Amino acid sequence: MDISFSLLGNAIVSGLLLGGFYAAVTIGISISFGMLDIVNIAHPAFIILGSYGAYFANSQLGVDPIVASLVLTPAFYLLGAGIYEVYHRSFERRGDASMRGLAFFFGLLFITEVVLVLVFGVDYRLVRAIYIGPSLHFGEIEVPLRLLVPAVASLAMIGGLYLFLSRSFIGRAIQAVAQDQGALRLMAADPVRIKRIAFALSIATASVGGAILIVIQPVEPSLGREYIGRVFAIAVLGGLGSFAGTVVAAMVLGIMESLTATFYGPSWSPAVAFGFLLLALAVKPSGMFGR
Amino acid sequence: MSLLLEVSGLGKRFGGFVALEGVDLSIGAGERVGLIGPNGSGKSTFVNCLCGTLRNETGQVRFDGHVLNRLAAHRRTRLGLARSFQLPRPFPSLTVGENLRIPIEYVVHTRGLGRLDVPARCEELLDMVGLTGRADDLPAGLTQVEMRKLELARAMAAEPKLLIADEAMAGLSHQEVDDILALLLRMNQDGVTIIMIEHIMRAVMQFSQRLVVLVAGRKIADGLPAEVIRNPEVERAYLGE
Amino acid sequence: MRGKHFLLAAVAVAALVFGAARLVNNGYVFFAGYVVLQYVVLATAWNILGGYTGYVNFGTAGFFALAAYTTVALEKLTPLPLPVVMLAGGLVSGLLGLGMGYLTLRLRGAFFSIATLAMAVVAQTFMVNWSFVGGSSGAFAIRPPRTALFGIDYIQYLFLLMLGLAVLVIVVARLIERSRLGDGFAAIRDDELAAEASGVPTLRLKLLATALSGAFMGMAGAPLPYYVTYLDPPSAFSLAYAANTIAMPLIGGTASWPGPLVGALLIATMQQVATVTISSAVNLLIVGLMLVAFVIAAPYGIIGWFGIGRPDRRRGRKRAVPKLRERDA
């Protein structure tokens, strides 16, 4: 009785922390898919790219992975701006964003994956940091720093983005473009430029998300695919584009997965995410129509 | 005159916003009815509920002896209720002729009355709307007014009993408005009941035998056009207090 | 060309291909040819949904591998002739397509695509955890040296079956294009709201396309255990299947059946030749770069260069007019 209670408590706590991390990998999708209506299925691959960036800095230079990822965000921002430019010119402007746009991002997904395989090989990679290993203890509840630090970093990043979107002029313009492009033109702002900034930001979050991922678990190039179901499920159930909703949905999924892993075994957790995605599609479609 | 369309107590909300509330409307076969109202008054929602693009929450729609409430949009088209879209929505990768072929194949040929000679029927429809010889063009090559004509031809290709023309004249020149107006009148003479939704009052007054006014999701007037526009409530809705 | 003539021509081409392969009489030709034909089936099947209705399926590996695992399960339960097993695999994957479609096709197209991606991952999870079909350690399939039916080498038999399936899927795809169904699919691809308003039962047609497409992918996957003789989840659910199957129609051209055929023949042959010299990762990289280049620069694919399936070069396309009957209306 006691043992299962502490199992449950631990599962819920690690689920919450896991959820904090899921929020970091999903927030980019919340921006690109939720606010800009760009179905960037390659986002998880960019997350893995972020993981390898942190891995490289950590293993070659001994830099803390999360610090390294912050330094790398401008590079990811530029990558995102470049991708948006191609996407806009080739698909969005031609009004042909659906099939070929999806195929374009799918192509980017496996180009990224294959390049990582060619450069780093298919073995799992991990990073070193002082917070990997020790845990805090509260009675029977154990809080591993390996999960706590990523969750805190994630929430800090999302909080910062939230402040940027609600306080700055460009942030408000991004929110306006999510509502109505025409209105933005009336404000004399160029919607394409605003969307480019927003999309570039969404890719920049992948750098930090990737570093957090590799702190939590060892990474190999195809790992991103396991996250596709997860991130889209969270983004949809969180109410596309809502930051608070994303965080809550991420924590709910984290807890569900953690409970499943504790009581049924970790090899089933991808199935939980899929069930969650179907639930999201079944429960939330009303909000998604007409977008 | 037999009743073709009977709408009773139609209601629709979006979240907390009441788009339609308790709308009643009866239309007899062969009538020409104008439906007007300021922007956001619920005209589009009304059309979408009639045609099955949206589901109404309360009330009932009866059309030609059938209760439409749960029917999908394509079933309503097959029963004889066709619409044109406010912003023309041709199938862009199909030629003009192929655009017309879709309703012929999926509506007319499903009625069990035999098959039409499709190319000949397409030519007939194109002649009717004044797009003779354009069957092989792509919609992208059409002008604004030609696009509206294609939109109407495609709706007519389904051989409807009731046609809802949703702002078929918005943004057209004086002459072009007259063209479309003449076209709609001819369709009506051929026995099609028409609901015209329009902001261009000149066209509405010329066309309608009856005028219905929607304001804030409610029907506030329904009667002879000349009387309706003198109705003080309608004047208030349009001109403000 | 009328339907019957096309069928005869396709069978004749297939017979020539098989005759030529027999003439070369080299095991490798059948071995490599099987993979090329398998991709012809997969690409054409993908295009029935993706190219005609515009719904992008990222889960080819799921549909394909699920049928392969159906074969493994059936082999353990009861011995059946391979064509029957292929039908069973087609049925399983067709039902999977129907189920996926039913859950997601009422929504915007992107949700269907995302769900198919996730589905492949989940199907793999289930196979990893299902020890009856080998679980994560995989399963062996014993390939008989010769077949009772024709007395030919088993690999030749597999080749012949896949050749027949390729003919079937191409004939079906062409039939769809020239029928009312093809018009309905095109209307869905262009504008679903307008399609409904024009009387097209969009949900039913989309479900039909998903089921049909999934069933053909399944039939292509069912013989896989006998071809590879050892099947484990990572190889059965390999990203290469999904990647190639999307790249081939988009590179060849999605508007008409020659597109996926040309794309599959070109890319699969290139890969079969290149595996000797370069790694499979480089192979995939080339396909990825080609896919991105084509969707950006050549939206109508290779067949578009010859004016096939380009709406802007289709003036005066002739169609067989159905026999007329007097209408009483």
Side-chain angles (χ1 to χ4, degrees), chain B residues 112-169:
Chain B
L113 300 171
R115 301 179 66 86
L116 294 171
D117 174 351
V118 177
R121 175 65 181 150
C122 285
E123 277 311 317
E124 204 176 295
L125 285 161
L126 291 175
D127 285 347
M128 179 183 76
V129 299
L131 289 175
T132 309
R134 307 294 295 274
D136 292 334
D137 287 4
L138 280 175
L142 300 182
T143 64
Q144 178 78 335
V145 66
E146 285 169 342
M147 205 89 97
R148 307 284 178 145
K149 289 176 174 173
L150 170 60
E151 190 74 21
L152 288 174
R154 195 176 62 187
M156 288 304 290
E159 300 183 8
K161 298 187 176 87
L162 172 66
L163 170 69
I164 303 177
D166 194 354
E167 299 196 28
M169 306 168 191

Side-chain angles (χ1 to χ4, degrees), chain A residues 12-285:
Chain A
I12 289 176
V13 168
S14 60
L16 276 174
L17 297 176
L18 202 60
F21 149 65
Y22 286 164
V25 292
T26 308
I27 202 70
I29 294 279
S30 288
I31 297 173
S32 57
F33 185 40
M35 302 176 80
L36 309 175
D37 210 18
I38 299 172
V39 193
N40 176 15
I41 52 163
H43 192 78
F46 296 128
I47 299 261
I48 304 300
L49 190 66
S51 295
Y52 276 92
Y55 162 74
F56 187 78
N58 183 258
S59 62
Q60 301 297 313
L61 311 167
V63 186
D64 176 83
I66 294 175
V67 173
S69 73
L70 284 172
V71 174
L72 282 172
T73 47
F76 276 75
Y77 182 92
L78 289 179
L79 175 70
I83 290 171
Y84 179 76
E85 206 51 43
V86 174
Y87 175 79
H88 174 71
R89 279 164 197 265
S90 310
F91 311 107
E92 213 170 46
R93 203 172 49 185
R94 285 190 209 154
D96 187 17
S98 56
M99 179 170 67
R100 289 188 176 79
L102 272 170
F104 168 71
F105 282 114
F106 186 69
L108 291 185
L109 172 121
F110 72 88
I111 287 172
T112 309
E113 192 176 316
V114 173
V115 166
L116 287 173
V117 168
L118 290 172
V119 176
F120 293 99
V122 293
D123 299 328
Y124 279 96
R125 304 286 164 165
L126 38 81
V127 289
R128 272 177 252 277
I130 42 161
Y131 42 82
I132 297 176
S135 296
L136 302 177
H137 291 271
F138 302 94
E140 291 189 35
I141 306 291
E142 184 191 357
V143 180
L145 287 179
R146 182 179 59 85
L147 288 178
L148 183 63
V149 171
V152 170
S154 159
L155 293 180
M157 173 175 78
I158 292 168
L161 275 172
Y162 180 78
L163 283 180
F164 172 73
L165 286 180
S166 52
R167 299 286 163 81
S168 70
F169 175 77
I170 289 178
R172 286 187 196 163
I174 290 172
Q175 298 211 307
V177 90
Q179 301 298 324
D180 180 6
Q181 300 208 16
L184 198 67
R185 267 205 190 86
L186 295 179
M187 286 166 59
D190 171 12
V192 175
R193 180 173 153 259
I194 297 296
K195 285 182 91 171
R196 185 173 59 230
I197 293 172
F199 188 80
L201 267 180
S202 82
I203 301 298
T205 68
S207 174
V208 179
I212 291 175
L213 169 65
I214 200 168
V215 167
I216 288 181
Q217 69 169 103
V219 166
E220 51 93 15
S222 72
L223 187 69
R225 275 184 267 153
E226 278 184 30
Y227 280 86
I228 290 171
R230 268 187 200 127
V231 295
F232 278 97
I234 294 168
V236 171
L237 205 61
L240 290 169
S242 151
F243 280 23
T246 301
V247 173
V248 171
M251 301 230 165
V252 171
L253 178 65
I255 291 170
M256 276 166 53
E257 279 193 8
S258 171
L259 291 175
T260 312
T262 306
F263 295 105
Y264 297 95
S267 57
W268 283 104
S269 36
V272 174
F274 184 69
F276 200 72
L277 176 62
L278 288 183
L279 184 76
L281 294 177
V283 174
K284 281 288 289 182

Side-chain angles (χ1 to χ4, degrees), chain C residues 11-35:
Chain C
V11 170
V13 169
L16 274 175
V17 168
F18 188 65
R22 290 274 291 186
L23 221 66
V24 177
N25 201 21
N26 175 338
Y28 180 74
V29 168
F30 289 99
F31 212 75
Y34 174 88
V35 175

